[in-house]
C-alpha cells in the first residue's frame, strides 16, 4: 500500500538526516524540510499542484535553520545575521528569480506563436515558490546544484521515453491515416480491447469476415479501428465478406 511505502520512506529520510547531523535542532529542521519536499512530490504527482503552505513554509524554516547553525557554531550576532541574510535569503532569491523570469518573459512569446493558450503560463508559480523554499534551505550553491541535477534527471527521463516511443514500429505504408488504434489487439488483428461501453464491446463482425479481411490485406478500417469509427469497420467487414463471397470463410 502507498501509505506504508510513504511512511517507510519518511523513516529512511529521517534516519539519514540523523546519521549526518545527529539529534540536533539543525538536524530536526533538515528533516522537516525533507518531509515537506516528500509531501510536495506526492501531491504534485497526484494533482499537479504544489501547495504554497509547504513550499513557502520552507523559507522561514531555512532562515531559522541557518540562524541555529550559526548560533551552534558560536558566531556573533552580527556575523550570524549577515550569514543568514547572505546564505538563506539570497538562496531563496536565486531559486525564485530564474523561474519567475522564464514565466514573465517566455509566456507572452509562447502565446504569440501559439504554443500556449491565453490562460496558460510557461512556468507555474508553484515551481517558483518551491525553488525559493529550496534556496532558503540549501543556499545559492545548493540552488544551482538542484537546477543542474533536476535538469539531468529530466533529460534522462525524456531520453528513456523517446527510446520507448521509438521502439514502437511505424504502421506500414497506407495505414497511417489515423484510423489505426495503437492498443493491443488479438493475434488476427481484431478490434481493440474492451472499453466498457456495452454498445461498442458487444458488436461482433460477421462470421469469418475478420479473418477474410486479414488474408485479403484489407485496410485497417476493415480489421479494427478507433472506437469512434466502429460503424465504418462494421460496413467494411460486411463489404469484404460480400465481395469475397465466402472464398476465405
Amino acid at each position: 500500500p502507498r501509505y506504508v511505502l510513504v511512511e517507510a520512506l519518511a523513516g529512511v529520510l529521517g534516519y539519514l538526516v540523523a546519521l549526518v547531523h545527529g539529534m540536533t535542532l539543525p538536524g530536526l529542521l533538515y528533516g522537516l524540510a525533507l518531509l515537506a519536499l516528500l509531501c510536495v512530490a506526492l501531491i504534485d504527482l497526484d494533482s499537479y499542484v504544489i501547495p504554497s503552505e509547504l513550499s513557502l513554509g520552507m523559507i522561514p524554516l531555512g532562515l531559522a535553520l541557518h540562524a541555529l547553525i550559526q548560533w551552534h557554531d558560536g558566531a556573533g550576532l552580527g556575523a550570524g545575521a549577515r550569514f543568514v541574510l547572505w546564505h538563506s535569503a539570497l538562496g531563496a532569491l536565486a531559486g525564485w528569480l530564474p523561474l519567475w523570469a522564464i514565466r514573465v518573459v517566455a509566456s507572452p512569446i509562447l502565446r504569440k506563436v501559439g504554443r500556449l493558450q491565453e490562460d496558460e503560463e510557461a512556468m507555474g508559480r508553484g515551481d517558483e515558490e518551491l525553488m525559493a523554499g529550496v534556496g532558503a534551505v540549501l543556499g545559492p550553491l545548493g540552488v544551482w546544484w538542484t537546477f543542474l541535477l533536476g535538469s539531468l534527471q529530466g533529460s534522462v527521463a525524456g531520453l528513456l521515453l523517446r527510446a520507448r516511443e521509438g521502439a514502437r514500429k511505424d504502421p506500414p505504408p497506407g495505414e497511417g491515416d489515423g484510423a489505426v488504434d495503437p492498443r493491443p489487439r488479438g493475434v488476427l488483428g481484431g478490434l481493440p480491447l474492451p472499453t466498457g461501453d456495452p454498445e461498442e464491446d458487444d458488436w461482433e463482425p460477421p462470421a469469418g469476415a475478420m479473418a477474410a479481411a486479414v488474408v485479403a490485406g484489407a485496410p485497417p478500417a476493415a480489421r479494427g479501428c478507433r472506437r469512434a469509427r466502429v460503424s465504418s469497420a462494421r460496413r467494411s467487414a460486411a463489404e469484404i465478406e460480400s465481395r469475397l463471397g465466402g472464398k476465405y470463410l
Side-chain angles (χ1 to χ4, degrees):
R2 174 171 171 171
Y3 176 81
V4 176
L5 293 176
V6 172
E7 292 292 328
L9 180 57
V12 169
L13 293 175
Y15 176 72
L16 294 175
V17 171
L19 283 180
V20 176
H21 297 281
M23 303 301 291
T24 61
L25 280 176
L28 175 62
L29 294 179
Y30 274 122
L32 290 175
L34 278 176
L35 291 178
L37 290 174
L38 176 61
C39 293
V40 165
L42 294 173
I43 294 172
D44 191 21
L45 185 65
D46 284 342
S47 59
Y48 300 99
V49 172
I50 300 177
S52 298
E53 294 83 357
L54 292 174
S55 54
L56 293 180
M58 287 196 295
I59 295 179
L61 186 67
L63 291 169
L65 170 66
H66 293 292
L68 281 173
I69 291 175
Q70 292 303 301
W71 173 76
H72 183 269
D73 293 342
L77 182 62
R82 285 195 299 272
F83 179 84
V84 170
L85 182 63
W86 173 260
H87 190 78
S88 193
L90 188 60
L93 181 63
W96 169 79
L97 186 60
L99 301 187
W100 173 83
I102 291 175
R103 178 172 61 84
V104 171
V105 175
S107 295
I109 297 175
L110 293 176
R111 290 193 196 104
K112 188 174 182 179
V113 298
R115 299 297 298 273
L116 286 178
Q117 301 294 328
E118 287 300 322
D119 58 344
E120 292 180 332
E121 301 279 359
M123 181 64 63
R125 295 175 186 268
D127 298 298
E128 302 170 16
E129 296 172 352
L130 177 63
M131 284 307 300
V134 169
V137 174
L138 299 181
L141 185 60
V143 164
W144 294 115
W145 275 111
T146 302
F147 278 132
L148 175 62
L149 295 177
S151 299
L152 289 175
Q153 179 186 12
S155 299
V156 171
L159 290 174
L160 290 176
L161 288 174
R162 293 198 65 178
R164 181 182 176 185
E165 291 294 328
R168 298 179 180 177
K169 294 182 179 180
D170 294 330
E175 296 191 1
D177 58 354
V180 180
D181 193 322
R183 290 174 291 180
R185 305 173 186 275
V187 293
L188 292 180
L191 287 172
L193 298 176
T195 64
D197 186 334
E199 182 178 354
E200 296 176 0
D201 294 339
D202 290 345
W203 175 72
E204 301 245 353
M210 201 63 71
V214 174
V215 174
R223 300 202 306 268
C225 59
R226 295 189 186 278
R227 292 296 175 176
R229 302 188 182 184
V230 168
S231 59
S232 175
R234 183 188 296 114
R235 290 194 302 270
S236 299
E239 289 170 3
I240 289 173
E241 185 181 26
S242 174
R243 186 170 66 249
L244 295 176
K247 180 178 180 181
Y248 295 98
L249 306 184

